[in-house]
Amino acid sequence: MEKKAWLVRPNTHTANRMGDFLENNIIAIGWSGIGTLEGKSKEEIKKILQDKPYEYTSLILGNVTSSIDIFVNGMEIGDLVLMPDNDDIYIGEVESNYIYEKTKDIDEASYPHQRKIIFLRKILRSELPTNLRTALKIHRVTADLSRYYETIKLLSEGNIIEFKDDKNEFIDVEYPIRPGVMIKLSIPANMHQSEATRFSEFVKTLYFVSCHGHSHSHPHK
């Protein structure tokens, strides 16, 4: 079975819950007020998020659905979890299936969707290899870090990872272009802001189809 690793941010809405995670040996996500998600498929979770109290639509619906589905259905007992908290990075191992903690389903800052975890190690962000550190820039509550499993495993065991010249390392990123449709890109792990700006200008030149069905492309400058 393929070994998996995940990113879980200790922020539920506006609150930092790292202290609660450590005290109670848990990881958790927010989105209170929708009840238990046990046994719910990704499509069922999506439908729940379209209803009250959240009524998500379009791109945010896809992003949130993916984040919650990872936590509820993607993770398995024994998987590794990496939790960034400012300059500190906590590494743990998933110890339970999904848990709905009703006592934590109180208000919008609550975190009723939980899993038990075994905390293995705390390291500094500066101890992460550049490619893994860059992968943490993903602006999601949860994300798949399985391609870095072996690195995370070594770090959890107290090994020091030697930095290498990773100028040719790439990371995969996804962007929901419309509901149900994701664009997947591989970008350099050490991409600079100026390079990202140039790439955004290139995107403006791409082929597109108008609402009337006619094909177009922006002229190259």
Side-chain angles (χ1 to χ4, degrees):
M1 182 179 296
E2 179 187 358
K3 300 291 186 179
K4 296 180 180 179
W6 310 94
L7 164 70
V8 175
R9 298 191 183 281
N11 305 93
T12 56
H13 302 284
T14 58
N16 184 305
R17 299 296 185 182
M18 197 67 237
D20 299 305
F21 286 11
L22 293 169
E23 181 179 354
N24 298 297
N25 293 307
I26 61 169
I27 49 175
I29 56 174
W31 291 287
S32 58
I34 57 177
T36 181
L37 298 176
E38 184 174 1
K40 298 287 194 273
S41 67
K42 184 175 182 178
E43 190 60 33
E44 288 172 323
I45 293 172
K46 183 178 182 179
K47 290 180 180 178
I48 290 171
L49 294 172
Q50 290 174 299
D51 292 333
K52 294 182 178 180
Y54 297 102
E55 299 181 306
Y56 290 140
T57 60
S58 192
L59 300 183
I60 189 171
L61 174 63
N63 281 331
V64 174
T65 299
S66 294
S67 292
I68 296 177
D69 182 63
I70 280 176
F71 193 90
V72 175
N73 298 313
M75 294 181 182
E76 297 180 358
I77 295 173
D79 287 353
L80 295 179
V81 178
L82 193 150
M83 294 149 280
D85 183 34
N86 297 316
D87 290 333
D88 293 326
I89 302 291
Y90 294 87
I91 303 174
E93 181 181 317
V94 177
E95 192 181 26
S96 78
N97 293 317
Y98 165 81
I99 298 169
Y100 172 66
E101 183 52 66
K102 189 174 182 179
T103 61
K104 294 298 182 182
D105 199 346
I106 303 169
D107 53 39
E108 63 179 13
S110 299
Y111 48 106
H113 311 292
Q114 303 184 2
R115 284 178 180 264
K116 289 291 185 180
I117 194 170
I118 302 171
F119 281 94
L120 303 173
R121 190 171 179 80
K122 181 180 82 169
I123 62 175
L124 295 176
R125 187 182 292 264
S126 59
E127 296 178 66
L128 297 177
T130 306
N131 57 355
L132 178 53
R133 192 161 64 245
T134 302
L136 300 188
K137 294 180 181 180
I138 299 172
H139 295 295
R140 289 191 180 183
V141 174
T142 67
D144 189 350
L145 297 179
S146 296
R147 66 179 300 177
Y148 306 104
Y149 177 86
E150 293 302 330
T151 297
I152 296 172
K153 179 68 172 175
L154 288 171
L155 290 169
S156 74
E157 296 169 347
N159 294 288
I160 298 175
I161 306 297
E162 292 187 10
F163 287 79
K164 64 177 181 178
D165 181 4
D166 56 1
K167 63 182 179 181
N168 294 319
E169 288 286 332
F170 287 79
I171 59 173
D172 294 330
V173 295
E174 295 183 350
Y175 184 83
I177 197 66
R178 69 172 73 106
V181 178
M182 303 288 290
I183 287 181
K184 298 182 180 181
L185 299 171
S186 291
I187 63 172
N190 58 353
M191 177 182 279
H192 300 294
Q193 183 175 357
S194 61
E195 294 171 331
T197 300
R198 291 204 309 274
F199 180 70
S200 68
E201 291 299 318
F202 165 73
V203 170
K204 295 177 183 179
T205 71
L206 293 179
Y207 166 93
F208 67 92
V209 177
S210 72
C211 59
H212 301 293
H214 301 297
S215 300
H216 299 273
S217 64
H218 291 291
H220 288 272
K221 296 181 180 180

